[in-house]
Amino acid sequence: MTISSEPGSHTAETVAQEVQQFLEQRTKQTWDPDTDLFSSGAVSSMFAMELVVHLESTFDVVITGPDLALDNFRTVNAMTAMVLRLRGVQP
């Protein structure tokens, strides 16, 4: 999936699809958007760093400080909301 760097080009649907695609490629399983990836045991805190790098490079955002909280990476929906917020997109 190609993601445009234009601020208004991201929607919750396109961000969630991209995040789910990345997770499926890396974990070899599909994920419900509300599944807690860390409590499921399939995702580690080390993998969270891969998520940070992926989200930053894919969506042209910088994730720092309070945004690095694990809760922002627990679910596809949480990552989607964070990306949209960092991109300045209204939900």
Side-chain angles (χ1 to χ4, degrees), residues 47-81:
F47 184 72
M49 292 313 299
E50 288 184 53
L51 287 170
V52 169
V53 170
H54 177 73
L55 295 174
E56 287 183 329
S57 64
T58 302
F59 298 107
D60 194 28
V61 296
V62 177
I63 303 170
T64 60
D67 290 322
L68 287 170
L70 200 57
D71 285 345
N72 286 328
F73 301 91
R74 284 195 183 281
T75 68
V76 170
N77 285 338
M79 287 183 271
T80 298

Side-chain angles (χ1 to χ4, degrees), residues 2-40:
T2 301
I3 301 293
S4 170
S5 62
E6 293 299 314
S9 64
H10 300 289
T11 65
E13 182 179 346
T14 61
V15 173
Q17 285 175 347
E18 204 319 293
V19 172
Q20 283 181 309
Q21 182 180 36
F22 176 76
L23 287 169
E24 288 173 16
Q25 288 173 346
R26 299 289 288 131
T27 65
K28 308 296 186 223
Q29 64 187 79
T30 58
W31 295 98
D32 182 82
D34 289 318
T35 298
D36 186 326
L37 301 168
F38 295 97
S39 71
S40 72

